[in-house]
Amino acid sequence: MTAPAVVSWAAYVGWLNVATGPFWFTASIPVVVLLTAWALFELVIDKTSKIGNRTELFGLIFRIVTSSLSGAVISSAAGIGAVMGMSAGLVGGMLGTYGGYNLRKVCVRNTSFGDLPVACVEDTVAICLGVTCVYFVGH
């Protein structure tokens, strides 16, 4: 839920101009609050064993949908077209899913850090990359 929350915040603060497009609602306060709460919940619950692995079917489908929709919002705001944005969002989502997962495993295995600190760094990097992407698209 990091990508949808970041995209919604970018729309809310005016980095992405969604006011006249089909995704106008992403800049509304209720959507920003909902997606932010959902992302924070996911960040916390992801550190437990309560949800499945992100590469399992349900998690993967969820990430495909949310990353593709996030890409569609960004590309729509940039005037590029939803299909191109959905494709880019899908690629970004899969890179984040598999790249982040494998990098996290390697870091935990090859360092003295436990999974929690590595997971927190991974989350921070994901948020920073997301903010950077939407900032540069909007400016």
Side-chain angles (χ1 to χ4, degrees), residues 63-106:
R63 287 173 188 271
I64 287 169
V65 170
T66 59
S67 64
S68 296
L69 287 174
S70 297
V73 173
I74 293 169
S75 65
S76 175
I80 298 169
V83 173
M84 181 65 120
M86 289 177 76
S87 300
L90 175 62
V91 169
M94 293 305 92
L95 285 173
T97 298
Y98 288 105
Y101 174 75
N102 287 310
L103 185 59
R104 180 171 161 182
K105 281 184 12 181
V106 167

Side-chain angles (χ1 to χ4, degrees), residues 2 8-9 15 17 23-24 73 82 94 101 103-104 108 117 133:
T2 300
S8 187
W9 270 103
W15 290 355
N17 183 10
F23 300 107
W24 58 268
V73 173
M94 293 305 92
Y101 174 75
L103 185 59
R104 180 171 161 182
V108 170
C133 287

Side-chain angles (χ1 to χ4, degrees), residues 2-3 6 15 74 92 95-96 103 121-136:
T2 300
V6 167
W15 290 355
I74 293 169
L95 285 173
L103 185 59
V121 169
E122 178 191 16
D123 291 340
T124 303
V125 168
I127 293 166
C128 290
L129 285 172
V131 168
T132 301
C133 287
V134 296
Y135 178 81
F136 283 114

Side-chain angles (χ1 to χ4, degrees), residues 13-103:
V13 299
W15 290 355
L16 298 175
N17 183 10
V18 297
T20 59
F23 300 107
W24 58 268
F25 59 91
T26 59
S28 69
I29 291 175
V31 172
V32 171
V33 169
L34 175 68
L35 292 177
T36 301
W38 199 349
L40 291 172
F41 175 74
E42 183 190 30
L43 288 174
V44 171
I45 201 79
D46 184 46
K47 309 304 178 279
T48 70
S49 59
K50 299 205 184 295
I51 58 174
N53 189 317
R54 71 177 95 175
T55 59
E56 290 175 0
L57 185 61
F58 178 73
L60 192 58
I61 290 170
F62 190 76
R63 287 173 188 271
I64 287 169
V65 170
T66 59
S67 64
S68 296
L69 287 174
S70 297
V73 173
I74 293 169
S75 65
S76 175
I80 298 169
V83 173
M84 181 65 120
M86 289 177 76
S87 300
L90 175 62
V91 169
M94 293 305 92
L95 285 173
T97 298
Y98 288 105
Y101 174 75
N102 287 310
L103 185 59

